[in-house]
């Protein structure tokens, strides 16, 4: 568990540090990213481990970047419904996907 906490902390530290230099991909201008709320899609049911971890990370990202990070659960079909939703969303960097091992396994069993 300690290694996991260290990994999450490292990801948050990287995200916080890189936020000052990021540009808004939807405009291509020098406007800071994120300039509007960011949606993180969890392709699993609310209250599960993936959901809890993403909510903790989203809270820290919102605090450090000054923009809301909204967590949206789209469960079903082994994670494929949420993954499909994100794949079909606008490629502007404002819809993110929380993935786990299922992203690797699902193509192999279908």
């Amino acid at each position: 568990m300690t290694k996991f906490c260290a990994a999450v902390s490292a990801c948050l530290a990287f995200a916080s540090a890189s936020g000052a230099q990021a540009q808004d991909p939807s405009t291509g201008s020098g406007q800071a990213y994120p300039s509007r709320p960011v949606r993180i899609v969890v392709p699993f049911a609310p209250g599960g481990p993936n959901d809890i971890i993403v909510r903790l990370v989203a809270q820290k990202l919102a605090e450090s970047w000054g923009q809301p990070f909204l967590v949206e659960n789209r469960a079903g079909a082994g994670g494929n419904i949420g993954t499909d939703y994100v794949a079909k969303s606008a490629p502007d960097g404002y819809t993110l996907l929380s993935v786990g091992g299922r992203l690797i396994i699902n193509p192999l069993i279908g």
Side-chain angles (χ1 to χ4, degrees):
M1 186 66 166
T2 316
K3 289 181 182 181
F4 174 75
C5 291
V8 169
S9 298
C11 289
L12 289 174
F14 174 74
S16 298
S18 64
Q21 301 170 355
Q23 293 183 356
D24 188 344
S26 63
T27 62
S29 67
Q31 189 177 20
Y33 174 86
S35 60
R36 57 189 171 97
V38 177
R39 175 180 293 145
I40 304 174
V41 175
V42 179
F44 306 106
N50 291 357
D51 181 54
I52 293 169
I53 292 167
V54 170
R55 288 182 189 279
L56 292 171
V57 171
Q59 180 181 1
K60 293 296 184 184
L61 288 173
E63 290 170 5
S64 64
W65 283 10
Q67 283 292 335
F69 279 72
L70 311 171
V71 178
E72 182 178 334
N73 296 84
R74 291 193 173 247
N80 288 332
I81 292 176
T83 303
D84 184 61
Y85 173 77
V86 173
K88 292 178 179 175
S89 67
D92 58 3
Y94 286 93
T95 304
L96 308 177
L97 176 67
S98 167
V99 297
R102 294 180 193 260
L103 186 67
I104 297 166
I105 299 299
N106 283 348
L108 299 174
I109 61 174

